[in-house]
Amino acid sequence: MNVHFSSETNEWSTPQDFFDQLNKEFKFNLDPTSTKENAKCKKFFTEKDNGLEKSWDGFRVFCNPPYGREIGKWVKKGSESMGGVVVMLLPARTDTRYFHEYIYNKAEIRFLKGRLKFGGSKNSAPFPSMVIIFKKKSK
Ligand SMILES: C[S@@+](CC[C@H](N)C(=O)[O-])C[C@H]1O[C@@H](n2cnc3c(N)ncnc32)[C@H](O)[C@@H]1O
């Protein structure tokens, strides 16, 4: 197995132009799932910080979470954060438990036409994507 390749594909970092478009609309100030290298905002949390354990309340969050088995925990966290806005870039998997529990009929959903090219890749992702918007909720 090519370890370098597989760790690269786990990152799925957001294409900068795609982020820039969303950022114009939402003016993000927190990226809770990142490395120092791929952080999209000045304020960010890395795996070492563990963005799941930090408060996102009151921030304008852009979150493209790790796409592993924990993805539902990130969506739950986004849905529960208060006082700001949480925008998540997710694989468009409408059969998942987290989609039905936290997103469907609860958040704004924007299904993307075509497929993103993550992390500067020449190839399109092997899955469709969606943008989810959890709007301001006050405490
Ligand atoms: C899909 S990538 C998105 C990267 C980048 N923020 C972006 O949007 O381009 C997910 C990132 O989450 C980081 N990550 C993994 N576990 C994390 C955790 N518990 N807390 C914060 N970041 C984590 C990974 O290192 C990876 O860089």
Side-chain angles (χ1 to χ4, degrees):
M1 195 174 101
N2 185 332
V3 174
H4 182 59
F5 180 74
S6 74
S7 73
E8 253 179 20
T9 56
N10 279 338
E11 289 294 311
W12 298 114
S13 70
T14 310
Q16 189 64 46
D17 56 344
F18 181 78
F19 172 80
D20 290 344
Q21 280 299 320
L22 279 176
N23 195 34
K24 264 189 215 159
E25 183 177 348
F26 292 101
K27 313 226 175 338
F28 299 115
N29 58 14
L30 174 64
D31 176 350
T33 51
S34 59
T35 61
K36 219 165 77 183
E37 289 70 32
N38 66 26
K40 292 289 187 284
C41 300
K42 242 190 248 166
K43 182 160 177 69
F44 60 90
F45 300 133
T46 66
E47 191 166 3
K48 203 167 143 227
D49 304 320
N50 192 5
L52 264 184
E53 298 293 321
K54 301 277 186 182
S55 174
W56 302 3
D57 291 354
F59 285 101
R60 307 184 65 80
V61 176
F62 174 76
C63 178
N64 174 12
Y67 290 0
R69 294 179 50 181
E70 306 275 85
I71 191 166
K73 290 191 185 167
W74 292 99
V75 176
K76 179 172 191 285
K77 172 90 179 172
S79 76
E80 290 170 349
S81 296
M82 305 290 242
V85 66
V86 177
V87 177
M88 303 188 82
L89 175 61
L90 299 170
R93 295 190 187 120
T94 53
D95 57 344
T96 55
R97 191 182 297 192
Y98 64 79
F99 182 80
H100 285 267
E101 206 157 322
Y102 307 114
I103 297 172
Y104 191 40
N105 286 332
K106 292 176 182 148
E108 182 184 334
I109 308 170
R110 298 180 188 174
F111 291 112
L112 303 193
K113 193 193 274 184
R115 297 202 174 182
L116 291 174
K117 291 181 174 142
F118 287 92
S121 168
K122 268 186 261 155
N123 301 316
S124 300
F127 51 83
S129 297
M130 61 186 176
V131 169
I132 300 305
I133 300 152
F134 294 111
K135 289 248 168 69
K136 300 173 187 173
K137 285 154 280 183
S138 37
K139 284 189 192 183

